[in-house]
Amino acid sequence: MTLSTDHTSAQVSGAREELENTIVRIQELGEPCVLLTLILTQGAVARKAGTRALYTLQGLQGTLGGGLFEARTSEQAEILLQKKESGLFSYAGHDDTGRGKREVLCEFLHAGLTDLFRLAARNLTEGIPGVWEIDITDPAAPKRTLLLPKPPA
């Protein structure tokens, strides 16, 4: 399964490029982080698929919608952060942020992705659109690609 998210419209704490820049800074410091991407929503929920947040040693940065769902997702992210692993987290039920099903890709970001996130941040700053494509055939080892428009001839 491959999913795509438009990195020009993904929002985390306001600024679009803020998340990519934050990831680059954290990785340059050698600190681990887990990128949380809401990949599936069904029913009445606070946030829709494509919403992203970051889990670091300091905890959650951004929001996936709050409530018990976000608390459980943070617990899962903490486990994966400590293990340096990726995985899928599913949540179904009713809480203060809605009722329905949600799936989150919890992606441990290894140091080899720093340059890719730096490129994404630079393109966002320059107004160049792009799309993140993430192959989650094996959720424990997602493969991330940044698709960019071809430069004019």
Short mmCIF file of all heavy atoms in Angstrom, two decimals, residues 91-118:
data_model
loop_
_atom_site.label_atom_id
_atom_site.label_comp_id
_atom_site.label_asym_id
_atom_site.label_seq_id
_atom_site.Cartn_x
_atom_site.Cartn_y
_atom_site.Cartn_z
N TYR A 91 -7.03 2.94 16.10
CA TYR A 91 -7.88 3.34 17.22
C TYR A 91 -9.31 3.40 16.71
O TYR A 91 -9.59 4.07 15.72
CB TYR A 91 -7.45 4.70 17.75
CG TYR A 91 -8.26 5.20 18.92
CD1 TYR A 91 -7.89 4.88 20.22
CD2 TYR A 91 -9.39 5.98 18.72
CE1 TYR A 91 -8.64 5.33 21.30
CE2 TYR A 91 -10.14 6.45 19.80
CZ TYR A 91 -9.76 6.11 21.08
OH TYR A 91 -10.49 6.56 22.15
N ALA A 92 -10.19 2.68 17.37
CA ALA A 92 -11.60 2.72 17.01
C ALA A 92 -12.40 2.94 18.27
O ALA A 92 -12.13 2.33 19.30
CB ALA A 92 -12.01 1.42 16.33
N GLY A 93 -13.34 3.83 18.21
CA GLY A 93 -14.18 4.04 19.36
C GLY A 93 -14.62 5.47 19.51
O GLY A 93 -14.42 6.31 18.64
N HIS A 94 -15.17 5.75 20.66
CA HIS A 94 -15.74 7.05 20.98
C HIS A 94 -14.92 7.69 22.09
O HIS A 94 -14.58 7.06 23.07
CB HIS A 94 -17.19 6.86 21.44
CG HIS A 94 -17.81 8.11 21.96
ND1 HIS A 94 -18.24 9.11 21.12
CD2 HIS A 94 -18.05 8.54 23.22
CE1 HIS A 94 -18.74 10.10 21.86
NE2 HIS A 94 -18.64 9.77 23.14
N ASP A 95 -14.54 8.93 21.88
CA ASP A 95 -13.91 9.71 22.94
C ASP A 95 -14.32 11.17 22.75
O ASP A 95 -15.19 11.48 21.94
CB ASP A 95 -12.39 9.52 22.99
CG ASP A 95 -11.63 10.12 21.81
OD1 ASP A 95 -12.24 10.85 21.00
OD2 ASP A 95 -10.43 9.87 21.70
N ASP A 96 -13.70 12.06 23.48
CA ASP A 96 -14.09 13.47 23.43
C ASP A 96 -13.75 14.15 22.11
O ASP A 96 -14.14 15.28 21.88
CB ASP A 96 -13.49 14.23 24.61
CG ASP A 96 -11.99 14.08 24.71
OD1 ASP A 96 -11.46 13.05 24.25
OD2 ASP A 96 -11.34 14.98 25.25
N THR A 97 -13.02 13.48 21.21
CA THR A 97 -12.67 14.09 19.92
C THR A 97 -13.45 13.49 18.76
O THR A 97 -13.19 13.82 17.62
CB THR A 97 -11.16 13.97 19.65
OG1 THR A 97 -10.83 12.57 19.53
CG2 THR A 97 -10.35 14.62 20.73
N GLY A 98 -14.37 12.59 19.06
CA GLY A 98 -15.20 12.04 18.00
C GLY A 98 -15.42 10.56 18.16
O GLY A 98 -14.93 9.93 19.09
N ARG A 99 -16.15 10.01 17.21
CA ARG A 99 -16.36 8.57 17.20
C ARG A 99 -16.08 8.08 15.80
O ARG A 99 -16.54 8.66 14.82
CB ARG A 99 -17.74 8.18 17.69
CG ARG A 99 -18.88 8.82 16.97
CD ARG A 99 -20.21 8.31 17.48
NE ARG A 99 -20.33 8.60 18.90
CZ ARG A 99 -21.46 8.69 19.55
NH1 ARG A 99 -22.57 8.51 18.92
NH2 ARG A 99 -21.50 8.95 20.83
N GLY A 100 -15.30 7.04 15.74
CA GLY A 100 -14.94 6.49 14.45
C GLY A 100 -13.62 5.77 14.53
O GLY A 100 -13.07 5.55 15.61
N LYS A 101 -13.10 5.43 13.38
CA LYS A 101 -11.85 4.69 13.27
C LYS A 101 -10.75 5.63 12.75
O LYS A 101 -10.99 6.44 11.88
CB LYS A 101 -12.02 3.50 12.33
CG LYS A 101 -10.78 2.68 12.18
CD LYS A 101 -11.02 1.48 11.28
CE LYS A 101 -9.73 0.69 11.17
NZ LYS A 101 -9.88 -0.46 10.29
N ARG A 102 -9.56 5.46 13.31
CA ARG A 102 -8.40 6.23 12.86
C ARG A 102 -7.19 5.31 12.82
O ARG A 102 -7.03 4.46 13.70
CB ARG A 102 -8.13 7.40 13.80
CG ARG A 102 -9.22 8.45 13.73
CD ARG A 102 -9.14 9.40 14.87
NE ARG A 102 -10.05 8.94 15.91
CZ ARG A 102 -10.49 9.69 16.91
NH1 ARG A 102 -10.11 10.93 17.03
NH2 ARG A 102 -11.31 9.20 17.80
N GLU A 103 -6.36 5.47 11.81
CA GLU A 103 -5.08 4.76 11.73
C GLU A 103 -3.97 5.78 11.57
O GLU A 103 -4.11 6.74 10.80
CB GLU A 103 -5.06 3.77 10.56
CG GLU A 103 -5.80 2.50 10.84
CD GLU A 103 -5.53 1.41 9.82
OE1 GLU A 103 -4.67 1.58 8.93
OE2 GLU A 103 -6.21 0.38 9.90
N VAL A 104 -2.89 5.53 12.29
CA VAL A 104 -1.75 6.44 12.28
C VAL A 104 -0.50 5.67 11.89
O VAL A 104 -0.21 4.62 12.48
CB VAL A 104 -1.55 7.09 13.67
CG1 VAL A 104 -0.35 8.03 13.66
CG2 VAL A 104 -2.80 7.82 14.11
N LEU A 105 0.23 6.19 10.91
CA LEU A 105 1.56 5.68 10.62
C LEU A 105 2.51 6.35 11.60
O LEU A 105 2.61 7.58 11.63
CB LEU A 105 1.98 5.99 9.18
CG LEU A 105 3.42 5.62 8.82
CD1 LEU A 105 3.63 4.10 8.94
CD2 LEU A 105 3.76 6.10 7.42
N CYS A 106 3.17 5.55 12.42
CA CYS A 106 4.17 6.04 13.38
C CYS A 106 5.52 5.70 12.77
O CYS A 106 5.97 4.56 12.82
CB CYS A 106 3.99 5.37 14.73
SG CYS A 106 2.37 5.58 15.48
N GLU A 107 6.15 6.69 12.17
CA GLU A 107 7.34 6.47 11.35
C GLU A 107 8.60 6.97 12.07
O GLU A 107 8.80 8.18 12.21
CB GLU A 107 7.15 7.20 10.02
CG GLU A 107 8.25 7.06 9.04
CD GLU A 107 7.99 7.86 7.78
OE1 GLU A 107 6.99 8.61 7.71
OE2 GLU A 107 8.81 7.76 6.85
N PHE A 108 9.43 6.03 12.53
CA PHE A 108 10.70 6.42 13.11
C PHE A 108 11.57 6.98 11.99
O PHE A 108 11.78 6.32 10.97
CB PHE A 108 11.40 5.22 13.78
CG PHE A 108 12.71 5.58 14.39
CD1 PHE A 108 12.75 6.17 15.65
CD2 PHE A 108 13.89 5.39 13.72
CE1 PHE A 108 13.95 6.54 16.23
CE2 PHE A 108 15.10 5.75 14.28
CZ PHE A 108 15.13 6.33 15.54
N LEU A 109 12.04 8.21 12.18
CA LEU A 109 12.81 8.87 11.12
C LEU A 109 14.30 8.68 11.36
O LEU A 109 14.89 9.30 12.24
CB LEU A 109 12.45 10.36 11.07
CG LEU A 109 10.99 10.67 10.74
CD1 LEU A 109 10.75 12.17 10.75
CD2 LEU A 109 10.58 10.06 9.41
N HIS A 110 14.89 7.82 10.56
CA HIS A 110 16.32 7.57 10.69
C HIS A 110 17.12 8.73 10.07
O HIS A 110 16.60 9.51 9.27
CB HIS A 110 16.71 6.23 10.08
CG HIS A 110 16.32 6.09 8.64
ND1 HIS A 110 17.07 6.61 7.61
CD2 HIS A 110 15.24 5.50 8.06
CE1 HIS A 110 16.49 6.34 6.46
NE2 HIS A 110 15.37 5.67 6.70
N ALA A 111 18.37 8.83 10.45
CA ALA A 111 19.23 9.95 10.03
C ALA A 111 19.36 10.07 8.52
O ALA A 111 19.60 11.16 8.00
CB ALA A 111 20.60 9.83 10.68
N GLY A 112 19.20 8.98 7.79
CA GLY A 112 19.33 9.01 6.34
C GLY A 112 18.26 9.84 5.64
O GLY A 112 18.38 10.13 4.46
N LEU A 113 17.22 10.25 6.37
CA LEU A 113 16.15 11.05 5.77
C LEU A 113 16.36 12.56 5.93
O LEU A 113 15.57 13.35 5.40
CB LEU A 113 14.80 10.66 6.38
CG LEU A 113 14.30 9.26 6.05
CD1 LEU A 113 13.07 8.91 6.89
CD2 LEU A 113 13.98 9.15 4.56
N THR A 114 17.39 12.97 6.63
CA THR A 114 17.61 14.39 6.91
C THR A 114 17.65 15.22 5.64
O THR A 114 16.98 16.26 5.54
CB THR A 114 18.89 14.61 7.73
OG1 THR A 114 18.83 13.81 8.91
CG2 THR A 114 19.07 16.07 8.11
N ASP A 115 18.43 14.79 4.65
CA ASP A 115 18.56 15.57 3.41
C ASP A 115 17.22 15.67 2.67
O ASP A 115 16.92 16.70 2.07
CB ASP A 115 19.63 14.98 2.50
CG ASP A 115 21.04 15.25 3.01
OD1 ASP A 115 21.22 16.17 3.83
OD2 ASP A 115 21.96 14.50 2.59
N LEU A 116 16.43 14.62 2.71
CA LEU A 116 15.13 14.65 2.05
C LEU A 116 14.19 15.66 2.73
O LEU A 116 13.52 16.43 2.06
CB LEU A 116 14.51 13.25 2.08
CG LEU A 116 13.27 13.02 1.23
CD1 LEU A 116 13.56 13.30 -0.25
CD2 LEU A 116 12.78 11.59 1.42
N PHE A 117 14.20 15.70 4.06
CA PHE A 117 13.37 16.68 4.76
C PHE A 117 13.92 18.10 4.59
O PHE A 117 13.15 19.05 4.52
CB PHE A 117 13.24 16.32 6.24
CG PHE A 117 12.19 15.29 6.49
CD1 PHE A 117 12.51 13.95 6.55
CD2 PHE A 117 10.86 15.66 6.61
CE1 PHE A 117 11.53 12.99 6.74
CE2 PHE A 117 9.87 14.72 6.81
CZ PHE A 117 10.21 13.38 6.87
N ARG A 118 15.23 18.24 4.46
CA ARG A 118 15.83 19.56 4.19
C ARG A 118 15.36 20.07 2.82
O ARG A 118 15.00 21.23 2.68
CB ARG A 118 17.36 19.46 4.25
CG ARG A 118 18.06 20.80 4.13
CD ARG A 118 19.58 20.70 4.27
NE ARG A 118 19.94 20.34 5.64
CZ ARG A 118 20.53 19.20 5.99
NH1 ARG A 118 20.84 18.29 5.08
NH2 ARG A 118 20.83 18.95 7.25
#
